[in-house]
Amino acid sequence: MAFSMAGGGARGPQINVTPLIDVLLTLIIMFMLVVSMDPEYGEKAQIPQPNNTPKPTEPGPRTIVIQIVLAQNGQPPSVKINRQDVRWEDLETELTRIYISRVEKIAFVRGDADVDFQYVADVIDRAHHAGVQRIGLMTKDLAGDAD
Amino acid sequence: MGTVVAMVRHRSPKLFSDFNNLQFVAVFGSVLFVVLLFLMTDSPHYHSRSYSVDLPKTLHPVSMPWANRDDAMIVTVTRDGQIYFGVNRIVPAELPERITERLKDQSVERKVYIKADMRARWGAVKLACDAAHQAGILRVGVLVDKKRVSAF
């Protein structure tokens, strides 16, 4: 009477992991597709041509310049339309009111150098939504426009 | 392929049986799981045409499918003001030359996509815009993320 301790008998129960692998593969394929089809979103803007006249001129009365001014003490920056203070929540309404009767729907955006870019993007977005079709990013300060 | 499997089975039945064992499948499953985790957590880095930043979030952006093209000119401004053209870090003075070089290819869109971090200073982004303008670019696309508005 002898018996073997080695294998050869019935094997113990095993978990069937094949469905798990299938699920993982499916998830990987789905994620790869989602990543590859992720669309880019953006805001359209333009960089205005510099004036060729020798002296920079003051913007005309019908030119709308939206200015973002850095605030002190870590507060969010303030926003102005042609040097007139506007609350952030009123910006879109005010721009809609200005541009509803205009044919040329053009605005310029300028900001203090230390303003976070989020606020600039926000202004561009609100202006577009208010009906402004072309937005110029003022990258160079006009001498006559400085506050 | 079938021949190879048949040969392996013929010469080493033990090896073939090991192929199906739990350990092998568990290792394979683990590798797949790690790949899945990598895709889930690191998916923004798959946009290898440009450096990855936290884009500003706005409510009404428009779709810019051309920014996904391989030849799109993407200028990235990081939070600390560093500027990348594609994936290459450059100084702002180099940017007009790089853009002009790319514009020699007539098929390239005459537009620069500004991909700036939401906390980047506007002054740094202005430098990139100025450089693009020096290269003759008038149209820019400011890349943003679409802000999701919670229903609650």
Side-chain angles (χ1 to χ4, degrees), chain A residues 47-62:
Chain A
I47 308 170
Q49 291 269 19
N51 202 342
N52 289 329
T53 54
K55 283 180 71 177
T57 55
E58 189 82 13
R62 287 183 63 80

Side-chain angles (χ1 to χ4, degrees), chain A:
Chain A
M1 293 289 289
F3 61 90
S4 171
M5 293 289 287
R11 301 178 75 178
Q14 291 187 349
I15 303 168
N16 187 7
V17 289
T18 310
L20 175 69
I21 301 291
D22 290 344
V23 169
L24 281 174
L25 274 172
T26 309
L27 283 172
I28 285 175
I29 290 167
M30 281 173 61
F31 267 94
M32 289 176 79
L33 284 176
V34 166
V35 166
S36 65
M37 291 191 305
D38 191 18
E40 292 280 3
Y41 288 103
E43 305 282 353
K44 292 178 182 171
Q46 295 183 356
I47 308 170
Q49 291 269 19
N51 202 342
N52 289 329
T53 54
K55 283 180 71 177
T57 55
E58 189 82 13
R62 287 183 63 80
T63 306
I64 297 294
V65 178
I66 309 166
Q67 191 176 359
I68 308 157
V69 183
L70 187 69
Q72 302 298 322
N73 306 324
Q75 296 291 316
S78 59
V79 63
K80 297 179 178 185
I81 299 176
N82 285 0
R83 299 180 183 177
Q84 189 176 350
D85 279 314
V86 181
R87 293 193 308 167
W88 277 98
E89 52 267 35
D90 296 337
L91 177 63
E92 198 173 320
T93 316
E94 188 65 21
L95 288 171
T96 307
R97 187 188 64 74
I98 292 170
Y99 282 97
I100 196 161
S101 58
R102 290 189 177 214
V103 179
E104 278 192 340
K105 296 180 189 297
I106 303 170
F108 295 92
V109 174
R110 62 181 289 199
D112 287 350
D114 286 336
V115 166
D116 282 355
F117 184 63
Q118 169 68 56
Y119 294 105
V120 180
D122 206 20
V123 164
I124 299 170
D125 182 63
R126 289 176 195 229
H128 273 308
H129 198 240
V132 182
Q133 289 165 353
R134 293 167 67 188
I135 294 178
L137 302 176
M138 293 178 70
T139 55
K140 289 186 171 67
D141 290 334
L142 298 175
D145 200 32
D147 283 338

Side-chain angles (χ1 to χ4, degrees), chain B residues 40-110:
Chain B
M40 287 170 69
T41 57
D42 208 43
S43 57
H45 294 282
Y46 268 74
H47 297 281
S48 56
R49 294 184 299 278
S50 62
Y51 198 82
S52 183
V53 292
D54 289 332
L55 291 175
K57 291 178 173 52
T58 60
L59 282 170
H60 320 100
V62 293
S63 177
M64 291 192 169
W66 281 57
N68 269 330
R69 282 174 56 128
D70 285 336
D71 59 355
M73 292 189 286
I74 299 178
V75 177
T76 307
V77 182
T78 62
R79 189 177 300 185
D80 54 358
Q82 293 174 3
I83 294 179
Y84 290 78
F85 186 58
V87 290
N88 303 314
R89 187 180 165 190
I90 56 167
V91 292
E94 286 179 52
L95 192 53
E97 189 187 341
R98 295 287 186 94
I99 294 173
T100 310
E101 206 171 291
R102 289 284 296 279
L103 287 175
K104 287 176 185 169
D105 183 353
Q106 292 296 320
S107 64
V108 172
E109 189 187 15
R110 263 59 184 161

